[in-house]
Amino acid sequence: MKLFPYGHATHPQWQMAAGLVLAQLRGCLALPAYASAPTLALLYITDHYVAQAQEILDHLSAELPFITDWSGTVGIGIASNNVEYFDEPALAVMLCELPHGHYRVFSGVSPLPPARSGLFTAHTALVHADAATPDVAELIAEMAARTESGYVFGGLASSRSAVVQFALSGHGNLTGQGAACGVFSGGLSGVAFARDASGGMGLMSRVTQGCKPVSATYEITACDANVVMELDGQPALEVMLADLGVSLEQPREALARVRNTLVGLSRDADLPSDAARQRSGQFGADVLVRHLIGLDPARQGIAIADVASVGMKLAFCERNAQAARADLVRICAEIREELEPEEQTLEVASALNLPEAQSAPHPARRIAGAIYVSCSGRGGPHFGAPSAELQIVRRALGDVPLVGFFAGGEIARNHLYGYTGVLTVFTSAD
């Protein structure tokens, strides 16, 4: 598998940004290391371009007639290799070279068929969703159940205006699409991927957390819907105030600390077994971070932005840039170490250890392209400098093709996360 052509640009006029992106894509297509016959395009735009979404898709698809399938969405920020675009008009495109029979574009107009239908068997899927869709978390879990692996990845579109998604197929995959224009609002859309029996192409995905626990882990022993009333048999509100070191007798100080506090939820079966990660005070991938949305002094309870159940585990946490940086480095290192060969020739070892500025893509990395979906509350501002988050990924993985967006909620496995990053790479067997 060759590298996926990609391009990204910012400009007040979308036509100029599109022209710059097309020039980069054509430059990649002309290079021997890059795929020469891509069929699937991933398109991400910032919300500055929402009103022109249809024009952008029409223009790009006309300029790239060999691309039969399109998928993507909008974010208040978008990402590409080594760079992020926040609060500015920008777009990014990556062209994936995959056999038509190995993927299927889906949307609300043409949903992914159940595995039992025999029409298409999805192993995993890239999912874009509208946060305003009713029961969106349940729909994500249902989508995961339609795949062999039970694992989907992606995020909720984020926008300060309208929310749009791209889903278009000219190869006949979108049965019933009719005269659909390819730009949608509401529901879910994305790309489902089949398992490659030959082993030539694979997908590897990791979740990185952005919060650090500030308390012990408790068991929820009494709750009512989203109100947790007891932790380890003690009044939940008392436990939280003691852990945070505040008192309601000083309400201003207490509320300031509570506003910066979140909760990490998990079940016994989901608790991480990585002892090193537990010692370092980092959450595992199966902890779901949720907001505290209120206090219930009458019942000595705390209200959380999720439905709790007895037996779940809960830890109080807060956003932490150092923990987020360390965990992002960890998942990138895991991917790199799993993909790079244990034994390398001197030429390969030298290429992979070049300084960052010379860290060109190399076949030994076995990464054709990557998709990174991060929380809109992360990005450069959280990591200390513009594009710092994407620079960490580049230093770890090298100069690999990458696109993505900053979401209103991140999707991995069958869960909806918050304050996380989801990094997925297309891998090659050779």
Side-chain angles (χ1 to χ4, degrees):
M1 179 184 292
K2 292 188 175 182
L3 297 166
F4 293 161
Y6 74 110
H8 53 91
T10 176
H11 198 278
Q13 299 177 4
W14 71 262
Q15 297 92 336
M16 294 297 294
L20 292 168
V21 167
L22 287 167
Q24 295 170 57
L25 294 173
R26 289 168 179 148
C28 290
L29 289 165
L31 296 174
Y34 284 82
S36 59
T39 56
L40 168 67
L42 301 179
L43 167 61
Y44 296 107
I45 63 172
T46 60
D47 53 1
H48 292 72
Y49 287 154
V50 163
Q52 295 81 37
Q54 188 65 63
E55 295 175 78
I56 292 171
L57 179 60
D58 290 344
H59 177 72
L60 291 175
S61 57
E63 292 291 321
L64 302 169
F66 50 88
I67 298 298
T68 59
D69 303 278
W70 291 82
S71 181
T73 191
V74 61
I76 63 170
I78 63 172
S80 193
N81 178 33
N82 210 40
V83 65
E84 62 192 33
Y85 298 98
F86 263 103
D87 294 322
E88 57 184 328
L91 63 92
V93 178
M94 185 165 71
L95 308 181
C96 309
E97 187 176 64
L98 305 168
H100 280 295
H102 285 193
Y103 68 89
R104 174 163 296 196
V105 175
F106 63 88
S107 70
V109 172
S110 181
L112 185 66
R116 62 179 180 276
S117 68
L119 298 176
F120 180 83
T121 302
H123 181 66
T124 185
L126 165 63
V127 177
H128 307 120
D130 188 333
T133 302
D135 302 320
V136 66
E138 288 77 7
L139 291 175
I140 291 167
E142 180 185 343
M143 177 62 65
R146 288 174 176 248
T147 68
E148 289 180 321
S149 65
Y151 189 106
V152 296
F153 59 96
L156 304 184
S158 61
S159 175
R160 287 159 292 197
S161 53
V163 172
V164 298
Q165 299 173 49
F166 301 104
L168 183 65
S169 176
H171 191 64
N173 284 340
L174 288 186
T175 303
Q177 180 174 271
C181 60
V183 178
F184 298 90
S185 295
L188 274 60
S189 69
V191 187
F193 301 96
R195 181 191 293 273
D196 186 353
S198 69
M201 186 276 288
L203 283 161
M204 183 181 298
S205 188
R206 294 287 187 276
V207 177
T208 176
Q209 296 279 10
C211 294
K212 183 175 182 179
V214 294
S215 75
T217 298
Y218 303 100
E219 181 178 343
I220 297 176
T221 49
C223 60
D224 180 13
N226 69 319
V227 178
V228 177
M229 294 176 289
E230 287 186 5
L231 296 171
D232 285 355
Q234 302 298 315
L237 182 57
E238 288 185 8
V239 172
M240 182 189 73
L241 295 175
D243 280 337
L244 300 183
V246 295
S247 170
L248 293 182
E249 294 178 2
Q250 289 83 39
R252 182 173 298 180
E253 292 80 359
L255 288 176
R257 184 69 195 277
V258 169
R259 285 195 187 101
N260 292 323
T261 302
L262 304 104
V263 297
L265 300 173
S266 59
R267 299 185 183 276
D268 268 332
D270 292 337
L271 289 176
S273 58
D274 186 341
R277 193 180 310 154
Q278 289 175 306
R279 286 195 302 271
S280 68
Q282 295 177 359
F283 280 141
D286 297 302
V287 174
L288 307 179
V289 174
R290 296 292 186 259
H291 284 281
L292 276 169
I293 58 175
L295 306 180
D296 188 345
R299 293 188 288 180
Q300 286 293 292
I302 58 174
I304 62 176
D306 206 337
V307 177
S309 60
V310 172
M312 292 182 75
K313 302 295 183 180
L314 182 149
F316 298 104
C317 60
E318 61 185 11
R319 296 180 64 201
N320 185 282
Q322 185 175 354
R325 188 179 299 108
D327 204 48
L328 180 56
V329 170
R330 175 189 63 81
I331 68 160
C332 291
E334 285 182 2
I335 291 174
R336 185 185 66 235
E337 291 168 5
E338 186 165 342
L339 291 177
E340 289 180 2
E342 293 183 9
E343 296 183 4
Q344 301 173 350
T345 65
L346 180 59
E347 176 189 1
V348 170
S350 299
L352 295 180
N353 286 285
L354 284 171
E356 181 182 346
Q358 305 171 40
S359 182
H362 195 284
R365 294 191 188 278
R366 295 173 50 204
I367 299 176
I371 301 168
Y372 188 54
V373 179
S374 185
C375 177
S376 56
R378 287 165 55 106
H382 184 55
F383 284 80
S387 300
E389 184 175 10
L390 275 300
Q391 289 168 5
I392 292 172
V393 177
R394 184 179 185 270
R395 281 195 293 270
L397 298 185
D399 195 14
V400 299
L402 182 149
V403 294
F405 68 106
F406 290 87
E410 303 74 61
I411 299 168
R413 290 181 55 188
N414 57 353
H415 297 315
L416 182 60
Y417 288 83
Y419 298 110
T420 63
V422 181
L423 176 61
T424 307
V425 298
F426 292 87
T427 65
S428 171
D430 46 23

